[in-house]
């Protein structure tokens, strides 16, 4: 998923959460637009952070898989050498 889609999706979720909050309080949803902007910004930043975390986790997993494959090759080579 692209970063833009992630940030916009989280921002829209933030807007929906803000609208739900105002609906529960039975307040006018267009009363304080700055609150909507703040909620969308905070949730958008969380979306950006989640995207970056996912990318970093994928990099770490790739490195770990390569390390495990290298260890397996060494242990197989050592086992074959010991059998000979």
């Amino acid at each position: 998923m692209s970063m833009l889609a992630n940030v916009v999706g989280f921002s829209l979720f933030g807007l929906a959460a803000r609208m739900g909050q105002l609906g529960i309080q039975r307040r006018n949803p267009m009363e304080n637009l700055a609150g909507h902007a703040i909620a969308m910004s905070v949730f958008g930043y969380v979306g950006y952070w989640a995207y970056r975390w996912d990318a970093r986790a994928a990099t770490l997993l790739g490195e770990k898989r390569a390390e495990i494959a290298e260890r397996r090759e060494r242990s197989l080579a050592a086992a074959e050498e010991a059998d000979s």
Side-chain angles (χ1 to χ4, degrees), residues 15 19 22 27-34 36:
L15 179 63
M19 291 291 193
L22 293 176
R27 290 174 44 197
N28 182 8
M30 296 301 173
E31 182 178 297
N32 185 7
L33 296 179
H36 298 327

Side-chain angles (χ1 to χ4, degrees), residues 46-84:
V46 169
Y48 173 75
W49 180 82
Y51 176 82
R52 298 295 296 170
W53 180 75
D54 188 39
R56 178 69 180 142
T59 303
L60 289 174
L61 284 173
E63 291 172 0
K64 195 62 158 172
R65 284 184 181 135
E67 183 182 320
I68 290 170
E70 182 181 330
R71 276 194 221 155
R72 283 183 183 160
E73 289 175 8
R74 283 189 297 191
S75 67
L76 286 174
E80 287 178 6
E81 190 175 295
D83 288 340
S84 300

